Amino acid sequence: MSDANTPSDVEPEHEHDHHDHEGPGYATPQAAIEEGDREELAYVMSLYVGTDVDAPDFVAVVDLDPDSETYCEIVDRIELPNRGDELHHFGWNACSSSCHMEGLERRHLIVPGQRSSRIHVIDAKDRRNPELVEVIEPEEVFEYDLSAPHTVHCIPDGEILISMLGDADGELPGGFLELNDDFEIEGRWEPPGEIEMNYDYWYQPRQNVMVSSEWAAPKTYYPGFDLEDVEAGNYGQRLHFWDWEDGTVEQTIDLGEEGLIPLEVRFLHTPESTHGFVGAALSSNVFHFWRDESAASRAADDASGDEPRATGEYRAEKVIDFESREHDDWDMPVPALPTDILISMDDRYLFGSNWLHGEVWMYDISDPSNPRRADSLSVGGTFGEVQEVQGRELSAGPQMIQLSLDGERLYWTTSLFSSWDEQFYPEEGERGSVMLKADIDPRKGTMELDEDFLVDWGECPAGPARAHEIRWPDGDCTSDVWQ
């Protein structure tokens, strides 16, 4: 057991007045739960990269209103102008972190292409019929010696920050690209050289901290997964804790072999909290991290004269471990590969997906240093007990997940990355992805597969497509941050 403080122990470091809430989003996470409407639409990254279909990627608008005649259907497609972008992750121009910015709207989707480094801006004022309004071409990005855009977060003053996984040649180091509120490139957010590898990030402005994780150089992971790259140390295993205001790394934690390929990283939604989690995909573990205030106390005790008072140090500890499983078709035990995690808006549950094993799971994280397994579903993937829904055979395991604001519906898609799909689930490109759903009972801590819900990317007009990240029009559990 760690010596971490639980969220209830954490005291705000400063007063934050929510009476002047004028901007986009919600004043608090609890307000998002209480005031947010049920999700009626989803925007889903959809791509043809790595399939036999010669068509541009698109953003799918999916009808999630059970009272609608088009429930479970893709009701609109925003086709992009070029082929081969490999849409992956995306985000809003504004979220709840800008809740005091009067006049700012959560209206534009920022949609990067992972392979092309092209950045698209989509106006979603008409929620059912968004339109592409602007494109930042790759050459404009390369000018800043960056490529392979990944995580998009708005930042509190209306600007947009994008993690970039490589330099202009697809090698290391990566960094961060900043856009202004007119969707123009401002430049690099951080001084070059702060990190080598990059992937996902999350920030807690009230704590003046940002955390980022590591995948690899684009030229390493683009062709597919190669075990020799792991042995050569070409994949990441570290977390970086940044000074949010200065844009500099304050502390790096090497998670070791137990933390290979740390991907999605989440702080709790409570803005006073310094607790969070990261899923280490290849090692099939989840780490809890937190700021150890006792380190500050010890440093203060040792300090004398004008020495500055330390502000604590971050710690990380493995708290969930998924065992590899034997399979006749594999020469080695099959790792679970937890490729996505998210935290419910009330900070009570951690959800995740084991793409290779075929499992979605939920852990009670009321005590974040001691997660308790609440429930799971075995569906799709290499070992899933459910291998078809409504007669539709599943091609891959659960991958990108998204949870309703009230924590009662969990959705997921099945594509990871085109070349990795081809390697582990080649049928995904032939049949297309699916979107599935589970009903969650937060009070009991249970999940139940909704076998009446299926959105099928195998039936797209141009041919089967892959489906990746999911967003709600009015905020969700993986894009909203509070200050």
Side-chain angles (χ1 to χ4, degrees):
M1 179 177 176
S2 76
D3 58 353
N5 295 324
T6 59
S8 59
D9 297 328
V10 179
E11 295 294 334
E13 292 191 344
H14 65 270
E15 293 296 326
H16 190 71
D17 187 355
H18 288 293
H19 295 293
D20 298 328
H21 175 213
E22 299 288 346
Y26 305 93
T28 64
Q30 186 62 32
I33 296 170
E34 295 175 358
E35 299 169 11
D37 294 328
R38 177 183 171 128
E39 66 286 352
E40 294 186 348
L41 292 174
Y43 300 128
V44 183
M45 294 288 89
S46 306
L47 57 149
Y48 282 114
V49 174
T51 72
D52 293 332
V53 179
D54 182 23
D57 298 347
F58 61 95
V59 179
V61 182
V62 178
D63 188 340
L64 299 180
D65 180 0
D67 295 326
S68 168
E69 292 182 355
T70 53
Y71 180 52
C72 293
E73 294 182 14
I74 297 172
V75 293
D76 193 22
R77 296 172 183 78
I78 304 97
E79 289 198 355
L80 302 184
N82 297 278
R83 288 166 168 73
D85 285 311
E86 179 122 25
L87 301 187
H88 195 62
H89 287 220
F90 65 133
W92 288 101
N93 67 306
C95 73
S96 294
S97 72
S98 305
C99 68
H100 298 293
M101 292 288 290
E102 186 176 0
L104 196 62
E105 296 180 77
R106 192 202 311 258
R107 171 171 168 172
H108 292 92
L109 287 166
I110 314 302
V111 182
Q114 235 294 309
R115 288 184 188 268
S116 67
S117 299
R118 187 173 287 109
I119 300 171
H120 312 84
V121 181
I122 291 175
D123 186 343
K125 182 178 182 180
D126 182 342
R127 297 307 205 198
R128 291 183 71 94
N129 298 285
E131 59 177 347
L132 179 68
V133 294
E134 194 163 336
V135 179
I136 299 173
E137 294 296 341
E139 294 73 19
E140 300 174 66
V141 174
F142 298 155
E143 287 183 16
Y144 299 89
D145 200 20
L146 292 169
S147 68
H150 190 271
T151 299
V152 177
H153 276 298
C154 69
I155 51 181
D157 58 1
E159 298 190 326
I160 297 144
L161 191 62
I162 306 174
S163 64
M164 309 291 291
L165 275 52
D167 66 13
D169 296 322
E171 302 283 4
L172 297 176
F176 291 87
L177 189 72
E178 186 172 357
L179 309 183
N180 63 26
D181 55 5
D182 289 325
F183 314 119
E184 299 165 334
I185 296 178
E186 283 278 289
R188 293 187 73 124
W189 174 75
E190 87 294 5
E194 287 293 303
I195 54 172
E196 281 290 303
M197 295 184 193
N198 203 3
Y199 182 70
D200 193 29
Y201 78 98
W202 195 286
Y203 64 97
Q204 286 285 60
R206 199 175 297 190
Q207 299 292 346
N208 190 34
V209 64
M210 181 178 89
V211 58
S212 64
S213 57
E214 295 186 334
W215 191 3
K219 284 190 174 178
T220 298
Y221 66 80
Y222 276 175
F225 177 74
D226 188 336
L227 202 53
E228 291 185 1
D229 283 322
V230 179
E231 296 166 351
N234 294 334
Y235 279 102
Q237 58 184 42
R238 298 185 297 176
L239 292 181
H240 306 283
F241 294 89
W242 298 69
D243 183 306
W244 173 242
E245 292 183 358
D246 291 346
T248 54
V249 174
E250 293 284 293
Q251 185 186 349
T252 293
I253 297 178
D254 190 331
L255 302 174
E257 292 186 358
E258 295 273 54
L260 275 168
I261 311 186
L263 295 180
E264 312 306 328
V265 61
R266 321 288 187 200
F267 271 114
L268 297 190
H269 297 288
T270 304
E272 295 88 1
S273 179
T274 63
H275 292 261
F277 295 87
V278 62
L282 187 59
S283 300
S284 297
N285 298 318
V286 175
F287 281 76
H288 165 225
F289 58 82
W290 74 100
R291 190 170 66 195
D292 180 3
E293 298 295 348
S294 65
S297 300
R298 289 195 296 271
D301 291 342
D302 294 339
S304 61
D306 296 329
E307 292 180 49
R309 178 183 172 83
T311 56
E313 293 182 353
Y314 274 87
R315 312 290 190 202
E317 181 178 73
K318 185 182 72 173
V319 289
I320 299 174
D321 189 350
F322 298 103
E323 294 291 331
S324 297
R325 300 174 65 176
E326 300 288 342
H327 192 281
D328 291 343
D329 295 338
W330 279 63
D331 296 330
M332 57 180 280
V334 183
L337 215 72
T339 45
D340 195 15
I341 62 170
L342 67 74
I343 296 172
S344 60
M345 198 59 82
D346 62 1
D347 288 338
R348 181 178 176 187
Y349 290 109
L350 177 72
F351 291 85
S353 59
N354 292 349
W355 190 58
L356 286 183
H357 281 190
E359 184 181 41
V360 285
W361 43 262
M362 61 186 293
Y363 276 73
D364 187 326
I365 54 170
S366 301
D367 177 357
S369 60
N370 291 286
R372 180 184 61 80
R373 191 180 182 95
D375 204 356
S376 64
L377 292 173
S378 180
V379 53
T382 308
F383 299 96
E385 294 172 0
V386 176
Q387 286 292 345
E388 66 175 42
V389 174
Q390 295 184 33
R392 166 62 151 93
E393 192 172 346
L394 307 178
S395 304
Q399 215 282 294
M400 293 308 295
I401 57 177
Q402 190 54 265
L403 184 68
S404 59
L405 293 175
D406 62 9
E408 295 185 359
R409 293 165 299 282
L410 181 75
Y411 302 79
W412 64 89
T413 56
T414 52
S415 171
L416 174 60
F417 193 71
S418 62
S419 51
W420 293 44
D421 288 351
E422 286 298 290
Q423 196 168 358
F424 295 103
Y425 295 115
E427 300 87 359
E428 184 77 352
E430 299 167 5
R431 298 180 191 151
S433 299
V434 296
M435 182 175 176
L436 300 176
K437 164 178 168 280
D439 293 315
I440 310 298
D441 186 330
R443 186 173 61 84
K444 296 179 180 177
T446 58
M447 317 173 71
E448 182 177 2
L449 181 67
D450 181 353
E451 299 199 36
D452 293 329
F453 183 94
L454 173 77
V455 185
D456 192 349
W457 270 255
E459 298 179 350
C460 292
R466 307 179 196 276
H468 195 64
E469 193 172 44
I470 306 165
R471 297 235 168 273
W472 312 139
D474 296 307
D476 51 56
C477 295
T478 57
S479 62
D480 273 79
V481 172
W482 279 265
Q483 60 169 327

